[in-house]
């Protein structure tokens, strides 16, 4: 890993994840509140714990590929592991104000 602070790299990871748009909702996965946790170790292994809006969502593989593609240019990220979890369950309360406005939710 380079000399960059792990927190700085995590910030860049979050920025890149904001480019991953949920194909069904048209809003990025960060503002939708789908990202629960990001861990990055000194070997460059990035573990992302995330959920989906519904269990059994057919977009699991598509989103995983989009995430890996976005994170590929980050020099400190050697490997991406995406762990889809269902607890805690996703609700619209996890969305940012931006996402709610984009989807017309008040």
């Amino acid at each position: 890993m380079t000399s960059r602070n792990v927190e700085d790299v995590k910030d860049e990871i979050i920025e890149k994840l904001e480019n991953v748009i949920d194909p069904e909702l048209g809003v990025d996965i960060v503002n939708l509140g789908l990202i629960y946790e990001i861990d990055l170790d000194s070997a460059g292994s990035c573990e992302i714990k995330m959920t989906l809006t519904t269990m059994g969502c057919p977009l699991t593989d598509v989103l995983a590929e989009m995430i890996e593609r976005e994170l590929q240019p980050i020099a400190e990220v050697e490997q991406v592991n995406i762990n889809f979890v269902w607890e805690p369950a996703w609700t619209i309360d996890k969305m940012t104000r931006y996402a709610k406005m984009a989807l017309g939710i008040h």
Side-chain angles (χ1 to χ4, degrees), residues 16-72:
K16 293 286 190 183
L17 292 178
E18 287 176 339
N19 295 326
V20 178
I21 306 299
D22 181 297
E24 290 182 324
L25 299 176
V27 177
D28 69 88
I29 61 175
V30 173
N31 281 293
L32 284 173
L34 299 179
I35 303 298
Y36 286 174
E37 190 176 316
I38 298 170
D39 286 318
L40 180 66
D41 68 20
S42 60
S45 179
C46 178
E47 180 88 25
I48 297 174
K49 185 187 295 185
M50 68 176 289
T51 194
L52 299 171
T53 55
T54 58
M55 194 179 295
C57 176
L59 297 175
T60 305
D61 291 341
V62 172
L63 287 171
E65 287 174 17
M66 292 168 72
I67 290 168
E68 289 177 16
R69 195 173 322 118
E70 278 298 318
L71 300 186
Q72 196 171 27

Side-chain angles (χ1 to χ4, degrees), residues 46-105:
C46 178
E47 180 88 25
I48 297 174
K49 185 187 295 185
M50 68 176 289
T51 194
L52 299 171
T53 55
T54 58
M55 194 179 295
C57 176
L59 297 175
T60 305
D61 291 341
V62 172
L63 287 171
E65 287 174 17
M66 292 168 72
I67 290 168
E68 289 177 16
R69 195 173 322 118
E70 278 298 318
L71 300 186
Q72 196 171 27
I74 301 174
E76 294 84 357
V77 176
E78 296 290 330
Q79 177 182 349
V80 178
N81 299 309
I82 302 163
N83 185 11
F84 290 98
V85 298
W86 307 110
E87 292 292 326
W90 180 86
T91 66
I92 62 170
D93 295 334
K94 296 191 182 311
M95 295 185 344
T96 65
R97 183 171 180 262
Y98 163 79
K100 289 177 183 176
M101 288 174 52
L103 295 173
I105 299 170

